[in-house]
Amino acid sequence: MTTALSRRGFLLRSGALGCSLAASPLITPMTFAAAPWENRLVVILLRGGMDGLDVVQPYGAPEFDTYRGGLIESNRAGERDLDGYFALHRKLDKLRPLWDSGELSFAHAVSTPYRDKRSHFDGQDLLEAGTGEVSGYSRSADGWLNRLMQSQDVPFDLRTAFAVGREELSILSGPAEVSNWAPNTVLPISPTTERLMEVVYHDDPLFRESIKEAIELAGEISPTDLNFDESDDMMRTMVQSVNKGQKSKSHVQLAKFTAQQLKAETRIAAFSIGGWDSHNKQTNTIGKPLENLGDVLLTLKRDLGPVWDKTAIIAMTEFGRTVRINGSGGTDHGTGGAMIFAGGAIRGGKVFTQWPGLAQDQLYQERDLMPTEDVRTYAGATIQGLFGIDQRTIESVIFPGLDMSARPKVTL
């Protein structure tokens, strides 16, 4: 029997079949750690290379409209202005109250020491390891949050580290023991699967965009919209699973569970939010992950209650994106990017930066925002302010090779 299949159906079938083979783990990874501190730290990994120039837009730079005029919405009225030079992406408007109350800030023109190759896998590995090629240190077998716990001369119980999901986050991998918990949500496509699909299809624009469209369509199309024969139960089950996973707002459930743990023994948490690889139609691509990030931060604030005042949240990504828009209305892998900080324990209402400028001779390799500060410096300053860890330990153990002599003050 021959089954008629539309292009939308073909894309959905191809994406669902591919994802069904590679969808292990099926859940966004999260890890937790209990420690003898009163303050809390949450690290959110923004997988895919968040475009910092779109999230925190330097509209005060005269070159910005030239580079991004076809991508950004006008800020002439200043309705999304942060400080007279930078503006916030409209999809994060819900976070404006946090900025106004001093519970939200940003760091711009930052990166890890990773340069030039711009590989998601390598960039994320180095981000989570906390080491770098430039500093002379190779990738570590453990993550920097695990080394943070190892550096403390105190006894830990089984809740020292708590991993949520089937995929281990290498940022908390290492000698410190990790327990596991899997939330009761359905996420048919995990960050690991997306990373695998990225490697397989990344260099082929046609297949890369087709897979992305297939994933998006899976959340929009009902099985009754497709002309499959009744024996195709696997396809119907896959579509129903994708729809259920999207409706459950799993990122909110993860934030709720994080808050629950942080109000108890847990002091350190880490999880990831994917979807930031915006090669094509960036105005559409970046909206969903930004909304998810906003939901997560507001859920944490609401559910943490008074513990929010003792909490610092760092959202960081493996690299930024190109200054110029590509031919597909998106941006390609770059270098300098942005970090996001939130919580009652951070110094909010500020864009931290040694801004390099956007003139042609100020760009990195004439294509990227020039990084002027290491993301590890901001992370190190945060944990020093939260937990009182001495600078020498941060520079030699947690972030080996890092120089924190000019560290910014990002916590209260």
Side-chain angles (χ1 to χ4, degrees):
M1 177 179 179
T2 302
T3 301
L5 187 63
S6 66
R7 177 176 178 270
R8 288 165 64 87
F10 171 76
L11 287 172
L12 179 52
R13 172 180 285 241
S14 300
L17 287 174
C19 294
S20 68
L21 294 174
S24 179
L26 303 180
I27 207 70
T28 299
M30 298 171 60
T31 53
F32 297 89
W37 306 296
E38 279 303 307
N39 289 332
R40 280 78 164 167
L41 172 65
V42 180
V43 178
I44 305 175
L45 301 173
L46 307 177
R47 296 198 187 280
M50 180 187 76
D51 183 13
L53 288 172
D54 201 356
V55 177
V56 186
Q57 301 169 0
Y59 76 95
E63 304 88 357
F64 189 57
D65 280 349
T66 301
Y67 292 136
R68 294 294 186 96
L71 187 62
I72 62 170
E73 294 186 358
S74 174
N75 189 53
R76 297 306 181 195
E79 70 273 16
R80 295 186 303 278
D81 175 69
L82 292 174
D83 61 0
Y85 193 89
F86 295 100
L88 190 62
H89 193 286
R90 62 183 180 84
K91 289 293 185 178
L92 290 182
D93 282 347
K94 66 179 76 174
L95 298 183
R96 171 65 66 167
L98 294 184
W99 172 267
D100 293 338
S101 62
E103 299 168 294
L104 179 71
S105 60
F106 305 91
H108 223 319
V110 297
S111 75
T112 69
Y114 182 58
R115 296 289 184 275
D116 303 342
K117 294 181 181 178
R118 301 178 178 89
S119 160
H120 287 298
F121 276 180
D122 289 343
Q124 291 172 19
D125 284 346
L126 289 171
L127 178 69
E128 296 185 62
T131 58
E133 296 173 334
V134 172
S135 64
Y137 289 86
S138 61
R139 280 171 284 182
S140 175
D142 52 9
W144 63 266
L145 283 180
N146 196 282
R147 293 196 299 275
L148 164 60
M149 293 184 296
Q150 294 176 53
S151 71
Q152 302 306 293
D153 187 20
V154 294
F156 293 110
D157 57 26
L158 290 177
R159 295 183 64 85
T160 296
F162 205 122
V164 177
R166 300 179 185 178
E167 179 189 33
E168 180 186 17
L169 282 177
S170 60
I171 193 171
L172 247 174
S173 66
E177 293 187 15
V178 179
S179 300
N180 295 275
W181 180 84
N184 186 27
T185 54
V186 179
L187 285 176
I189 302 173
S190 71
T192 296
T193 302
E194 291 182 3
R195 292 171 73 188
L196 177 61
M197 300 302 286
E198 169 111 13
V199 171
V200 173
Y201 293 107
H202 191 279
D203 294 332
D204 190 317
L206 175 61
F207 281 99
R208 181 180 67 213
E209 300 311 324
S210 295
I211 286 296
K212 182 179 295 185
E213 184 177 353
I215 294 171
E216 293 173 353
L217 287 173
E220 300 173 359
I221 301 177
S222 166
T224 58
D225 294 332
L226 304 175
N227 188 15
F228 295 117
D229 62 54
E230 294 182 359
S231 64
D232 203 345
D233 293 332
M234 186 279 292
M235 187 61 211
R236 295 177 183 276
T237 300
M238 178 59 68
V239 174
Q240 291 168 350
S241 177
V242 172
N243 287 337
K244 181 179 178 182
Q246 290 199 355
K247 292 176 181 177
S248 68
K249 291 190 174 181
S250 302
H251 59 286
V252 173
Q253 298 305 316
L254 296 176
K256 286 177 175 289
F257 184 80
T258 301
Q260 179 185 357
Q261 300 306 306
L262 292 173
K263 287 192 293 185
E265 296 89 353
T266 299
R267 294 296 179 267
I268 297 174
F271 58 93
S272 67
I273 297 176
W276 302 94
D277 201 17
S278 52
H279 289 284
N280 184 58
K281 299 178 182 177
Q282 182 162 311
T283 53
N284 298 329
T285 305
I286 201 170
K288 186 60 175 178
L290 281 174
E291 289 179 353
N292 290 347
L293 178 60
D295 290 342
V296 163
L297 295 181
L298 293 180
T299 299
L300 287 172
K301 176 177 172 60
R302 182 193 66 221
D303 287 12
L304 282 172
V307 174
W308 172 261
D309 292 336
K310 303 176 182 179
T311 300
I313 302 167
I314 306 174
M316 55 203 312
T317 192
E318 64 262 34
F319 44 61
R321 308 195 73 85
T322 51
V323 170
R324 296 177 181 85
I325 307 171
N326 62 28
S328 300
T331 53
D332 298 320
H333 299 174
T335 309
M339 301 172 69
I340 302 171
F341 303 89
I346 62 106
R347 184 182 168 203
K350 183 175 178 61
V351 178
F352 300 95
T353 187
Q354 302 175 40
W355 186 244
L358 291 178
Q360 182 66 28
D361 60 356
Q362 295 172 324
L363 301 180
Y364 181 74
Q365 294 187 342
E366 299 184 340
R367 68 191 294 277
D368 302 338
L369 177 66
M370 177 73 71
T372 58
E373 189 57 88
D374 196 319
V375 296
R376 299 176 301 165
T377 302
Y378 284 99
T382 302
I383 62 178
Q384 184 177 44
L386 282 179
F387 305 134
I389 298 174
D390 65 274
Q391 181 174 330
R392 182 176 179 180
T393 298
I394 296 174
E395 294 176 333
S396 62
V397 177
I398 301 172
F399 295 116
L402 179 66
D403 180 4
M404 289 185 59
S405 57
R407 65 189 182 279
K409 184 179 179 182
V410 296
T411 58
L412 296 177

